[in-house]
Amino acid sequence: QVRNLTDNTEYSDDTTLTPGKEYEVFAYYHNNASSSLNASGTGIATGAFMRTQMPSTVKAGEEARITSFVGAANAKHLDKDGKNLGNQVWDEAYGKNTTGGDIALSFVSGSAKITSKGAVNGKTLPDALWGNNGTLLGYDALDGKLPGCLEFSGYVTYRFKVNQPNFTVEKS
């Protein structure tokens, strides 16, 4: 979900993008394995990661799709027929450009924070979150090991800014 941080709005799946404002994205993660599988290690996600993507520019009247991906090296994303769709799941929020011109979206470096009941709580995630491979999650450390069940879940927040060139040049 996304919210206008500047105006302190509520999180939602949709927002209007306003130049000069800062926005915050909320991305929840949870290893759905039973906690009874953690002792044997079979319930622990390995290589657990998160990555995010969004466009760098949004044309006038269009929407930006802000997508967060969560996965693990030993995970399977199965569709309703049991077909393996890969090792990650995703969700998105949308930001609409209602201005008369193009806008630019830029991540705020160092703004990604992880929240959980584990030792990683409050840590800053590296800017690799916005790269193709993302960054590792975890519970005791940011090492990609994420035990199964609700008590080991958490969320990541990060920020981005909206900018719009708004000047004219006059030659005299």
Side-chain angles (χ1 to χ4, degrees), residues 21-159:
K21 306 259 175 151
E22 192 167 308
Y23 294 80
E24 184 175 63
V25 175
F26 170 94
Y28 174 78
Y29 64 87
H30 173 212
N31 174 356
N32 204 33
S34 171
S35 60
S36 65
L37 299 172
N38 291 335
S40 67
T42 57
I44 297 174
T46 57
F49 68 91
M50 181 179 284
R51 69 182 177 91
T52 190
Q53 67 184 32
M54 67 181 190
S56 57
T57 59
V58 184
K59 296 198 177 293
E62 293 188 1
E63 273 188 333
R65 182 171 50 193
I66 305 154
T67 309
S68 294
F69 300 84
V70 178
N74 62 338
K76 290 182 185 175
H77 174 196
L78 304 176
D79 70 8
K80 62 182 171 85
D81 298 322
K83 180 181 173 191
N84 187 358
L85 301 176
N87 70 336
Q88 62 186 348
V89 294
W90 58 91
D91 195 14
E92 57 266 319
Y94 296 89
K96 178 101 173 155
N97 177 2
T98 60
T99 70
D102 294 357
I103 57 174
L105 308 181
S106 58
F107 295 109
V108 176
S109 181
S111 69
K113 305 280 186 213
I114 190 168
T115 301
S116 84
K117 293 179 182 174
V120 300
N121 185 54
K123 296 215 183 266
T124 300
L125 295 176
D127 289 350
L129 175 69
W130 298 291
N132 290 337
N133 296 322
T135 189
L136 293 175
L137 298 173
Y139 187 75
D140 293 322
L142 295 174
D143 57 3
K145 294 178 184 170
L146 191 60
C149 214
L150 188 59
E151 64 265 30
F152 302 103
S153 66
Y155 62 90
V156 172
T157 57
Y158 61 88
R159 300 187 319 262

